[in-house]
């Protein structure tokens, strides 16, 4: 019973199904055919290709022999195999023992692609001649009368070989002998490849690995192989590769088909092909279609970019994605790709892009729809416009002014703020969009620049500034009369001054005398306006004025004026006194001038050198007239007594020239406060010089020396007379203490 169990375990079929490497069976001598009666040694080698250690099992024609040595001697024909511990059953080796006179021997072992030696051997080889070799009945080239030949790159093609030779028997008779046919035992260099796939029914989109399995003979472990994979006559990958595996990242339905692989040596001597394998790719229908909006939540601001992401939880192969918006017949976009998600970009969204969206996915099994998602597009406010709404064209103090601020675009709610000169007045909200207002009761202080801003949380926008001028009605004007004195006198210059203390400019003032219009004057700034009037007796009466800036005229109170007929100047008396004085002075001056010409000239030249100013009579007259023209007619001209005058003698020539006469300034009278006080006819502001001149004879340069000497003596005599004349003039002037310059 134990023997039968052991035989069951060691049967060739059982062991061949294992994965252990095959044992190697060798012949010694290395010929697979021998003459009957000869012995052939069989040697079994294990994994390390060294003689087997331990028990070795031998088989003849698949029957276990009762021999356990690693080397045995055989004398019978048959198919021999062996195995050792750790190795599987070796390939069968046929060893034949022939009783014939001529045999054909082949070396052993022989692998695919090897060169094999054929030897034609006679039983009495010394008497065997004319050896010829044949393959499948045809003589091999260059094989005549050779003890052995080499056949290159044999294969397992079941070719039959034999040889012929002439054998001499009984030392006399030659017989032609033919060997039996020999099938060269060519062992596989590597096993026939087998194609294996990680899955015969892969899911579409999933990866797959193809493996081309083979095994080199243990006796030729260093042989290099290369591999190639095919589908329906189409080469996969990059062609031949040293790797026995091919990685396919993703399988699709169009990848279904017939697959096989090929293996060959790098020398291309041996090539083998696997059997075909059918691979069918399975498609998974799409499911759980989802639409996602970016920015998250579907809240967008006008001008931003929107991304619609359509995805599926499951689904294989090429998926067609499409995006749709409520109210539109055509889709927004469509994409077909081998992916579980796709994106649609909407650039620079507008207000019209708001609404409900969904997407669909389909991979031939029918479209699956996502749920609806609402997208809102918020619009930043535009620059607001500030407008004024008042009861009239021009804003007036007391009016109720409405400031209206409105942005023409912008998502509600919108908060409006109102400013006056950058100071916040208040704010107002527009929950449903549109504009907002702010009311203001106007005062004069409300003039200035106004603005507003609008903000809906997406950035505030400021309006342009708008100027407002609040017009103030004029108040009741005040009329004042400005005359030179307390009592208005005929000839006075009267100033009528009208002024409103309140009111926006310009203000037009009208002046009236007994309700008759005198004239008008405009005031563009403060201070009122005036009207001048040269008084006559007819100007007595009631005066008034009126102020108007377009918002209603205001009338002043009436002011009464009484004009008297008496003149303020005593012209007659002053004229008589001055005339007599002038005539006296001129007579004395003329007499003195002729006598003291030389002395006057000498002194005048000395005074001129000290810087005393000179004036001609004409210059004096011009100065006098200009002095009167500068008198303000509005200032009062009260008469005051003159103070005593002081005489200052002056001797400067005022009209030197080629004429025979010159004028010499002989003195001046300074009007001081004292003499003005003593003279009521002199104005206190007219503190100017009164200049007197003397006419003198001019000296000629062509006078003789004698005449000059006589004149010099006469001149010295006349100096005393000249001084006397001056004293006389001074006395005359003192007789008129109230001299006024008219």
């Amino acid at each position: 019973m134990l023997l039968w169990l052991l035989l069951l375990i060691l049967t060739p079929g059982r062991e061949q199904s294992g994965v252990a490497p095959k044992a190697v069976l060798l012949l010694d001598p290395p010929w697979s055919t021998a003459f009957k009666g000869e012995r052939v040694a069989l040697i079994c080698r294990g994994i390390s290709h060294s003689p087997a250690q331990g028990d070795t099992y031998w088989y003849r024609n698949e029957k276990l022999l009762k021999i356990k040595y690693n080397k045995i001697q055989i004398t019978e024909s048959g198919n021999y195999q062996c195995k050792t511990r750790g190795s599987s059953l070796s390939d069968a080796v046929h060893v034949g023992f022939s009783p014939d006179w001529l045999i054909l021997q082949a070396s052993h072992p022989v692998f695919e692609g090897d060169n094999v030696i054929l030897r034609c051997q006679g039983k009495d080889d010394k008497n065997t001649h004319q050896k010829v070799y044949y393959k499948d009945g045809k003589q091999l080239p260059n094989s005549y009368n050779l003890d052995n030949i080499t056949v290159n790159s044999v294969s397992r093609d079941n070719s039959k070989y034999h040889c012929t030779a002439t054998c001499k028997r009984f030392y006399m008779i030659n017989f032609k002998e033919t060997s039996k046919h020999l099938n060269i035992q060519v062992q596989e260099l590597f096993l026939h490849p087998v194609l294996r796939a990680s899955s015969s029914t892969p899911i579409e989109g999933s990866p797959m690995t193809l493996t081309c399995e083979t095994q080199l003979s243990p006796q030729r472990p260093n042989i290099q192989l290369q591999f190639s994979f095919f589908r329906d006559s189409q080469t996969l990958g990059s062609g031949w590769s040293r790797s026995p595996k091919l990685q396919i990242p993703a399988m699709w339905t169009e990848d279904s088909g017939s697959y096989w692989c090929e293996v060959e040596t790098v020398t291309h001597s041996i090539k083998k092909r696997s059997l075909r394998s059918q691979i069918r790719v399975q498609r998974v229908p799409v499911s759980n279609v989802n639409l996602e909006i970016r920015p998250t939540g579907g809240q967008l601001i006008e001008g931003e970019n929107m991304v619609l992401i359509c995805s599926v939880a499951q689904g294989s192969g090429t998926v067609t994605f499409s995006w749709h918006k409520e109210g539109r017949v055509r889709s927004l976009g469509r994409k077909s790709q081998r992916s579980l998600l796709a994106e649609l970009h909407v650039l620079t969204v507008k207000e019209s892009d708001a609404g409900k969206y969904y997407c669909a996915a389909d991979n031939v099994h029918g479209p699956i729809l996502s749920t609806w998602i609402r997208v809102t597009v918020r619009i930043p406010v535009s620059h607001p416009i500030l407008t004024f709404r008042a009861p009239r064209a021009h804003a007036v103090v007391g009016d109720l002014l409405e400031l209206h601020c409105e942005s023409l675009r912008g998502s509600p709610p919108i908060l409006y703020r109102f400013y006056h000169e950058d100071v916040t007045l208040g704010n107002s909200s527009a929950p449903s969009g549109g504009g907002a207002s702010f009311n203001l009761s106007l005062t004069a202080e409300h003039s200035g620049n106004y603005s507003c801003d609008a903000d809906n949380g997406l950035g505030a926008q400021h309006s342009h500034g708008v100027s407002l001028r609040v017009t103030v009605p004029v108040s009741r004007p005040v009329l004042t009369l400005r005359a030179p004195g307390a009592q208005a006198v005929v000839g006075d210059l009267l100033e009528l001054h009208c002024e409103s203390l309140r009111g926006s400019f310009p203000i037009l003032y009208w002046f009236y005398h007994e309700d008759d219009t005198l004239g008008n004057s405009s005031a563009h700034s403060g201070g009122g306006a005036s009207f001048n009037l040269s008084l006559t007796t007819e100007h007595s009466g009631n005066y008034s004025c009126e102020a108007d800036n377009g918002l209603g005229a205001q009338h002043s109170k009436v002011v009464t004026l009484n004009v008297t007929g008496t003149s303020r100047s005593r012209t007659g008396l002053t004229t008589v006194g001055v005339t007599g004085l002038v005539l006296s002075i001129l007579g004395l001056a003329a007499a003195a001038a002729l006598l003291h010409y030389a002395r006057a000239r000498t002194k005048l030249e000395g005074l001129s050198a000290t810087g005393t100013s000179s004036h001609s009579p004409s210059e004096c007259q011009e100065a006098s007239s200009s002095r009167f023209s500068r008198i303000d007619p509005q200032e009062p001209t009260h008469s005051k007594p003159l103070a005593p005058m002081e005489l200052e003698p002056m001797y400067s020539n005022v009209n030197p020239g080629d004429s025979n006469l010159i004028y010499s300034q002989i003195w001046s009278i300074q009007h001081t406060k004292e003499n003005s006080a003593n003279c009521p006819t002199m104005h206190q502001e007219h503190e100017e010089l009164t200049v007197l001149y003397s006419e003198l004879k001019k000296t000629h340069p062509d006078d003789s020396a004698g005449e000059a000497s006589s004149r010099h003596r006469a001149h010295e005599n006349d100096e005393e007379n000249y001084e006397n004349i001056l004293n006389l003039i001074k006395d005359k002037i003192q007789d008129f203490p109230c001299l006024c310059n008219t």
Side-chain angles (χ1 to χ4, degrees), residues 431-632:
S432 302
S437 298
F438 184 82
N439 293 329
L440 198 63
S441 182
L442 293 179
T443 64
E445 290 74 19
H446 285 140
S447 293
N449 294 320
Y450 288 80
S451 63
C452 68
D453 62 28
D455 189 3
N456 63 352
L458 304 178
Q461 295 290 337
H462 207 74
S463 72
H464 293 295
V466 181
S467 297
L468 175 69
R469 181 174 178 269
V470 180
T471 306
V472 181
V474 294
S475 61
R476 187 173 188 179
V478 176
L479 177 65
T480 56
L481 304 182
R482 297 176 182 176
Q487 177 63 42
V489 180
V490 171
D492 283 352
L493 186 66
L494 178 69
E495 177 187 357
L496 287 76
H497 184 78
C498 187
E499 182 176 359
S500 289
L501 299 181
R502 292 179 65 253
S504 299
F505 299 101
I507 302 176
L508 182 62
Y509 292 94
W510 293 86
F511 297 88
Y512 302 95
H513 176 222
E514 301 295 351
D515 296 331
D516 293 331
T517 302
L518 296 175
N520 61 67
S521 181
S522 181
H524 295 274
S525 59
S530 297
F531 184 82
N532 294 328
L533 193 65
S534 182
L535 295 178
T536 65
T537 55
E538 289 79 10
H539 286 141
S540 295
N542 295 324
Y543 288 83
S544 64
C545 69
E546 185 180 76
D548 190 4
N549 63 351
L551 301 178
Q554 294 290 332
H555 209 81
S556 70
K557 293 181 179 179
V558 174
V559 178
T560 302
L561 176 68
N562 185 23
V563 180
T564 62
T566 303
S567 174
R568 294 183 180 276
S569 61
R570 300 175 183 177
T571 307
L573 178 58
T574 303
T575 302
V576 172
V578 171
T579 301
L581 175 61
V582 171
L583 291 175
S584 300
I585 291 173
L586 290 178
L588 292 174
L594 294 175
L595 295 175
H596 304 290
Y597 169 74
R599 181 185 179 188
R601 181 176 180 181
T602 302
K603 285 189 177 183
L604 288 175
E605 290 175 353
L607 289 173
S608 180
T610 63
T612 307
S613 61
S614 299
H615 305 278
S616 67
S618 60
E619 289 173 334
C620 180
Q621 293 172 4
E622 292 175 359
S624 177
S625 61
S626 64
R627 182 168 65 247
F628 284 112
S629 65
R630 288 194 301 267
I631 297 176
D632 188 354

Side-chain angles (χ1 to χ4, degrees), residues 641-647 669-679 737-738:
L642 286 173
M645 294 179 291
E646 296 181 0
L647 294 179
I669 301 174
Q670 177 69 47
H671 295 180
T672 61
K673 293 182 180 181
E674 289 78 5
N675 57 40
S676 296
N678 296 328
C679 184
C738 295

Side-chain angles (χ1 to χ4, degrees), residues 103-120:
I103 61 175
L104 180 63
Q105 295 177 315
S107 59
H108 182 83
V110 178
F111 291 91
E112 298 166 306
D114 284 354
N115 297 331
V116 65
I117 298 174
L118 296 180
R119 187 173 74 167
C120 192

Side-chain angles (χ1 to χ4, degrees), residues 241-278:
S241 170
R242 295 291 183 89
S243 174
K245 293 185 178 182
L246 176 66
Q247 298 285 346
I248 300 177
M251 295 290 289
W252 311 107
T253 53
E254 56 267 28
D255 294 329
S256 299
S258 178
Y259 288 76
W260 79 89
C261 68
E262 288 184 353
V263 184
E264 71 172 6
T265 59
V266 293
T267 60
H268 309 293
S269 58
I270 303 299
K271 180 188 290 186
K272 296 182 180 181
R273 176 184 292 185
S274 71
L275 297 176
R276 291 176 177 264
S277 298
Q278 294 296 323

Side-chain angles (χ1 to χ4, degrees), residues 194-203 205-213 229-230 236 243-251 255 259-261 277 279 281:
V194 176
L195 179 65
R196 300 191 185 279
S198 57
S199 175
S200 60
T201 56
I203 301 299
S206 64
M208 187 177 71
T209 301
L210 298 176
T211 305
C212 193
E213 293 183 351
F229 298 85
F230 303 88
L236 302 178
S243 174
K245 293 185 178 182
L246 176 66
Q247 298 285 346
I248 300 177
M251 295 290 289
D255 294 329
Y259 288 76
W260 79 89
C261 68
S277 298
I279 297 178
V281 180

